[in-house]
């Protein structure tokens, strides 16, 4: 069977929402990569989602994946912000099915209200 992962990136250091939003918006506006949506959230959760391959997804979020894959692409805008970030991952050993996986992902999204990304089917 195939694994399935739910994950969340949380900012653990002191940070200023406006500075972070501004740095992200400026880089995203350049349209050099497929940046995740910027939300009007005041959460400390940066991004929450699901993946079948967590290592590949982490590389994408760090900014070392395909530029056309929607992700945070952190190394392209967050370098000067000195953010402490914790990645929390929940691993499910079996494929839960699309509907269950999406319900779990949506629940995580609603609970964390991430600054980046979007709720719903990718």
């Amino acid at each position: 069977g195939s694994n399935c992962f739910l994950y969340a990136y949380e900012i653990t250091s002191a940070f200023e929402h406006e500075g972070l939003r501004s740095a992200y918006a400026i880089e995203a506006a350049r349209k050099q990569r497929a940046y995740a949506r910027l939300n009007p959230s005041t959460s400390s959760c940066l991004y929450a989602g699901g993946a079948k391959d967590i290592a590949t997804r982490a590389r994408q979020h760090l900014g070392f994946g395909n530029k056309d894959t929607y992700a945070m692409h952190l190394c392209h805008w967050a370098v000067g912000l000195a953010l402490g970030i914790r990645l929390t991952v929940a691993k499910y050993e079996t494929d839960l099915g699309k509907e269950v996986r999406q319900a779990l992902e949506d629940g995580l999204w609603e609970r964390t209200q991430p600054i980046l990304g979007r709720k719903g089917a990718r």
Side-chain angles (χ1 to χ4, degrees):
S2 61
N3 293 326
C4 148
F5 301 89
L6 280 184
Y7 63 90
Y9 286 85
E10 187 183 359
I11 301 171
T12 59
S13 57
F15 76 105
E16 210 259 320
H17 271 96
E18 279 315 303
L20 183 143
R21 304 175 77 74
S22 171
Y24 189 81
I26 289 166
E27 183 55 39
R30 295 179 61 230
K31 302 212 184 291
Q32 300 294 306
R33 306 182 83 75
Y35 286 95
R37 178 186 300 169
L38 179 58
N39 302 312
S41 170
T42 55
S43 170
S44 62
C45 180
L46 199 49
Y47 193 101
K52 288 191 175 202
D53 181 344
I54 196 68
T56 296
R57 194 65 181 126
R59 270 194 299 281
Q60 293 164 350
H61 282 310
L62 290 172
F64 304 110
N66 189 312
K67 68 179 179 61
D68 298 322
T69 301
Y70 279 96
M72 293 188 291
H73 301 284
L74 281 162
C75 77
H76 297 277
W77 63 272
V79 175
L81 298 180
L83 294 175
I85 298 175
R86 174 175 53 228
L87 169 60
T88 303
V89 179
K91 178 182 179 182
Y92 296 86
E93 297 283 344
T94 57
D95 189 0
L96 303 167
K98 197 172 184 177
E99 293 78 18
V100 173
R101 191 170 68 240
Q102 193 60 57
L104 285 169
E105 220 174 296
D106 289 350
L108 177 64
W109 204 94
E110 284 167 23
R111 193 168 54 80
T112 56
Q113 295 291 307
I115 298 167
L116 304 173
R118 70 189 189 93
K119 183 183 158 199
R122 302 307 179 265

